[in-house]
Amino acid sequence: MSEAEAGGGRRFWPLLPEILLALAVLASLGMTAAFFLHHGYLPQPFVLDTNDTFMDWFNTAYWANNRGIYDVWRSIYPPLSFAFLDSFSLHSCYLQSPFYARDCDRLGRATLIGFYLLDVVLIWLSLRRIDRVTAPWRTIALGLGLPLLFTLERGNLILACFAFFVLAHGPLLQSRLWRGLAAAVTINFKPYLVLPVLELAVRRRWRMLELAGIATIALFLVTLAVVGSGTPGEIASNTANWIVFQSGQVWNEVNYSTSYAPFLTMRQAQVPLLDFVPSRTIETIEFAVPLAIRLTQVMALAALVAAWLQPRALPASRIAALLLGAYLVTQSPGGYTQLFLLFLVFMEPMKRPGPSLAILCAYLLCLVGDVMLAPVLQITSTSWLGERTVDPQFGLTYGHFARPGLIILIVWALSLDAIAQVARAHGASRPSLGLAAA
């Protein structure tokens, strides 16, 4: 065997697990497509309301084109979302209902699909710059996996936000100004994305953090002036109202979650879950869930403290993943928010056990579809995608229990590896806790 052949073999065998996992994602996508062609609707964990496809986009766009965003609809989105959708919608389509607008607004649908395609391209370009060998397989998993497809089916504004997230936290932009502006856009779309930006504080990159903060505030003020409403007080008040509303939406929360926290409200669920789940299981969940969440928070905090001591020992993407992962374990802003975490995980090399385990979990989270444990309800509704009447059946699935657990495993794997890397770096040279270079 020649040296070139031997080198090729050494590159292939470590890559084999990623190839197989990417093919598994493709196979799961094929099975979901076959299910859709046969039944006329998308299976779990896609949303129960089969007539609601794209409506995260068009419900929001309806209010972007009409009055009452914060006092009638009581939105919790910052003004950027409405300024953006107002710019990318046909105003004449929003004189009636949001459902009418979905069929009428060709610009809105084209923008939605366009951002999905842009997201896939940016994923490919970013991962290819990091590692050309693993990029195709990780791009397949992210681009055709459940989190991004779920986001597309919902028409959630994460489609637009994610493009800027990749620019802010990926390797494509080198300019501090442009990275700061991209980070500002992500925060103004989804405020919880301030968490990965705080990696700048952990690494003591104060000038970059200041730039991102100024850009975030400036963009908020500009869009506030454009929209004419959406002050911090209005958003805070509506958020409190939203939390109360969400407490009555347990099934939607459990269906596709990043956290086990929604399981704590199962006893109060409107769906009679106790008819399908033994009470002892519920009691075990109520004991184990808070313990798992707290221990994971402690582990992530320990890794972040370690990173503060050795700010150069870990890449920025790792610290951002720990900050975001600890939040997603604590509560779920929606299953599609995994997308941000998985992108950060796929920037890791599969070298040590910790990152390798995290990457394995990331691939598993990209598998499309689910396997039902127990049916809970069946309804008759109209499928917008299938253009016919359907009888979807939904229930408890393996994914309800597995996905939050995989997020926990990612946080633990990255945290333990971070602590080990910091300990190794600390043994080699003990840093000064002064200001790091900006």
Side-chain angles (χ1 to χ4, degrees):
M1 180 183 293
S2 67
E3 289 187 18
E5 290 173 334
R10 285 193 296 270
R11 290 287 284 171
F12 174 76
W13 289 110
L15 186 63
L16 182 60
E18 294 208 46
I19 296 175
L20 295 176
L21 288 165
L23 292 177
V25 172
L26 285 177
S28 68
L29 175 60
M31 294 174 63
T32 298
F35 182 98
F36 171 76
L37 292 174
H38 184 264
H39 296 279
Y41 68 94
L42 294 170
Q44 285 183 269
F46 292 98
V47 174
L48 172 64
D49 188 348
T50 58
N51 191 42
D52 204 51
T53 298
F54 291 167
M55 289 311 294
D56 279 11
W57 187 282
F58 289 100
N59 279 323
T60 310
Y62 175 83
W63 291 101
N65 287 274
N66 292 278
R67 295 182 178 180
I69 296 172
Y70 294 98
D71 55 351
V72 178
W73 196 41
R74 305 200 70 176
S75 174
I76 61 173
Y77 296 145
L80 175 62
S81 298
F82 301 97
F84 171 81
L85 288 172
D86 184 55
S87 301
F88 290 95
S89 59
L90 299 177
H91 303 291
S92 59
C93 293
Y94 293 87
L95 302 177
Q96 299 184 40
S97 71
F99 291 95
Y100 173 82
R102 176 177 59 183
D103 296 323
C104 172
D105 188 0
R106 297 184 301 276
L107 176 59
R109 294 197 304 273
T111 303
L112 193 157
I113 299 298
F115 267 100
Y116 168 75
L117 297 176
L118 176 61
D119 289 343
V120 175
V121 170
L122 289 174
I123 290 169
W124 162 249
L125 293 175
S126 298
L127 297 181
R128 185 170 179 268
R129 180 164 295 186
I130 294 170
D131 185 354
R132 290 173 177 265
V133 177
T134 59
W137 315 110
R138 298 183 184 190
T139 301
I140 287 172
L142 271 181
L144 299 176
L146 178 60
L148 189 55
L149 291 182
F150 185 93
T151 306
L152 175 63
E153 191 276 335
R154 290 286 76 227
N156 195 276
L157 282 168
I158 283 176
L159 285 171
C161 179
F162 183 69
F164 292 94
F165 184 87
V166 173
L167 295 175
H169 298 280
L172 296 179
L173 293 181
Q174 300 302 317
S175 166
R176 292 185 295 179
L177 174 61
W178 287 113
R179 290 176 73 92
L181 290 174
V185 173
T186 67
I187 296 169
N188 274 275
F189 266 125
K190 302 292 179 182
Y192 55 80
L193 290 180
V194 70
L195 290 170
V197 176
L198 292 179
E199 61 85 11
L200 295 168
V202 176
R203 295 191 298 134
R204 300 195 281 282
R205 302 292 296 270
W206 303 118
R207 292 180 185 175
M208 279 290 296
L209 183 62
E210 181 181 7
L211 177 61
I214 292 172
T216 299
I217 295 171
L219 182 58
F220 176 81
L221 293 175
V222 169
T223 53
L224 176 63
V226 170
V227 174
S229 58
T231 65
E234 289 175 309
I235 294 174
S237 174
N238 291 347
T239 300
N241 179 71
W242 175 254
I243 292 172
V244 173
F245 171 76
Q246 283 296 94
S247 66
Q249 305 293 312
V250 177
W251 177 253
N252 290 335
E253 291 293 294
V254 170
N255 184 51
Y256 190 30
S257 177
T258 64
S259 172
Y260 283 122
F263 282 94
L264 297 176
T265 57
M266 288 179 73
R267 287 187 184 272
Q268 292 77 38
Q270 295 177 355
V271 178
L273 292 175
L274 288 176
D275 293 345
F276 307 93
V277 181
S279 59
R280 181 169 296 180
T281 301
I282 301 295
E283 292 169 357
T284 301
I285 289 172
E286 290 176 337
F287 169 77
V289 164
L291 183 62
I293 291 173
R294 295 293 177 265
L295 289 176
T296 306
Q297 290 172 332
V298 169
M299 179 55 61
L301 179 61
L304 291 169
V305 170
W308 169 265
L309 294 176
Q310 283 280 356
R312 297 183 180 179
L314 300 173
S317 59
R318 169 68 67 85
I319 301 172
L322 291 173
L323 287 161
L324 185 57
Y327 169 70
L328 295 182
V329 164
T330 304
Q331 65 180 55
S332 177
Y336 30 45
T337 55
Q338 297 174 37
L339 188 61
F340 303 114
L341 177 63
L342 299 190
F343 174 72
L344 296 171
V345 172
F346 277 135
M347 291 173 66
E348 295 277 349
M350 189 179 271
K351 292 182 178 179
R352 299 180 300 276
S356 298
L357 177 58
I359 291 168
L360 169 63
C361 292
Y363 273 106
L364 294 177
L365 286 166
C366 289
L367 292 173
V368 186
D370 217 329
V371 178
M372 191 175 297
L373 282 168
V376 172
L377 71 160
Q378 183 170 3
I379 61 174
T380 299
S381 63
T382 300
S383 171
W384 186 78
L385 282 176
E387 298 183 325
R388 59 185 167 113
T389 301
V390 294
D391 300 300
Q393 185 180 59
F394 292 85
L396 286 174
T397 69
Y398 286 102
H400 292 162
F401 300 94
R403 291 190 188 94
L406 290 172
I407 300 290
I408 286 176
L409 276 177
I410 286 175
V411 176
W412 275 79
L414 295 182
S415 296
L416 290 172
D417 180 77
I419 292 171
Q421 293 304 305
V422 168
R424 185 174 294 112
H426 201 71
S429 63
R430 301 192 176 187
S432 168
L433 294 184
L435 295 177

